[in-house]
């Protein structure tokens, strides 16, 4: 499945590049060409978002999380395409795309950190894993809240930024601490498949 997804993403990226080159060389870049290019780029992007979940399925680990991640990426891609073609100038459609994309990104993050887990991870790394998954989910919900409520106080975007920085830190610390536990040498073996 991962191979098929990778090939699909590669084809979409190539198609996007060819479309962009053709549009640039022909010199006509109207709204239809813009939407075609945006569609191809969006599908390639959502394919990349689905990749960590496909990796989990391939390894037969975290299968429920992987299925959720694939479903959320597909849903976000579908919402994006509908918004782009049916409601291209709608502010509400743009909000819907962001609302659908944030949980897909949170699931991709959770799938990526789950795929990285090893049997011999330290206690600190084991504890960081669920916390980083939770901060990703909270960030997704918080951004959706901000998009729909548009609070006027400047503290809200700052809180979102602080949560994003914390989330990135928690994700980045896991491989760093895991590598430090092995003395910076070869990474430990992957965890046994979970069923």
């Amino acid at each position: 499945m991962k191979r098929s997804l990778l090939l699909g993403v590669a084809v979409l990226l190539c198609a996007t590049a060819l479309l962009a080159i053709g549009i640039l060389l022909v010199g006509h870049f109207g709204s239809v060409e813009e939407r075609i290019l945006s569609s191809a780029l969006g599908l390639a992007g959502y394919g990349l978002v689905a990749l960590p979940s496909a990796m989990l399925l391939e390894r037969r680990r975290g299968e429920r999380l992987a299925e959720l991640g694939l479903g959320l990426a597909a849903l976000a891609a579908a919402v994006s395409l509908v918004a782009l073609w049916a409601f291209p100038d709608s502010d509400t459609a743009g909000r819907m795309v962001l609302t659908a994309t944030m949980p897909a990104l949170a699931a991709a993050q959770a799938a990526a950190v789950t795929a990285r887990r090893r049997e011999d991870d330290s206690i600190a790394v084991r504890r960081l894993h669920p916390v980083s998954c939770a901060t990703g989910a909270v960030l997704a919900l918080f951004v959706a809240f901000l998009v729909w409520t548009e609070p006027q106080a400047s503290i809200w975007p700052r809180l979102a930024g602080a949560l994003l920085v914390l989330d990135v830190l928690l994700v980045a610390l896991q491989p760093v601490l895991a590598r430090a536990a092995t003395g910076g040498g070869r990474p430990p073996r992957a965890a046994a498949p979970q069923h």
Side-chain angles (χ1 to χ4, degrees):
M1 172 175 231
K2 182 173 82 169
R3 184 171 191 260
S4 299
L5 184 60
L6 283 171
L7 289 174
V9 169
V11 166
L12 285 169
L13 289 171
C14 290
T16 303
L18 288 173
L19 280 169
I21 291 167
I23 290 168
L24 289 170
L25 292 177
V26 170
H28 178 71
F29 193 79
S31 64
V32 172
E33 291 82 5
E34 182 180 314
R35 284 189 272 171
I36 290 170
L37 191 57
S38 295
S39 297
L41 194 59
L43 288 174
Y46 287 114
L48 291 173
V49 168
L51 191 57
S53 296
M55 289 171 48
L56 275 184
L57 272 183
E58 183 179 88
R59 296 177 185 178
R60 297 181 188 265
R61 295 176 58 199
E63 293 178 65
R64 286 187 194 149
L65 172 60
E67 291 166 355
L68 175 67
L70 290 172
L72 288 172
L75 175 65
V79 168
S80 175
L81 288 174
V82 168
L84 182 64
W85 287 94
F87 309 101
D89 298 322
S90 168
D91 203 32
T92 301
R95 291 176 186 193
M96 291 176 67
V97 170
L98 189 56
T99 301
T101 299
M102 290 307 297
L105 291 173
Q109 173 187 311
V113 296
T114 299
R116 193 230 48 86
R117 291 183 70 193
R118 307 289 182 241
E119 282 180 30
D120 54 354
D121 277 346
S122 68
I123 292 172
V125 174
R126 287 184 192 159
R127 288 185 179 157
L128 283 173
H129 175 263
V131 176
S132 70
C133 291
T135 56
V138 169
L139 181 61
L141 291 172
F142 192 63
V143 168
F145 165 77
L146 290 178
V147 165
W148 288 100
T149 61
E150 297 182 9
Q152 298 304 310
S154 66
I155 189 68
W156 295 108
R158 290 177 185 211
L159 284 173
L163 187 56
L164 175 63
V165 170
L166 176 62
D167 186 46
V168 170
L169 172 67
L170 294 172
V171 169
L173 278 176
Q174 292 174 66
V176 170
L177 293 177
R179 190 70 153 207
T182 64
R186 187 173 210 200
R189 291 185 48 213
Q194 300 170 358
H195 295 284

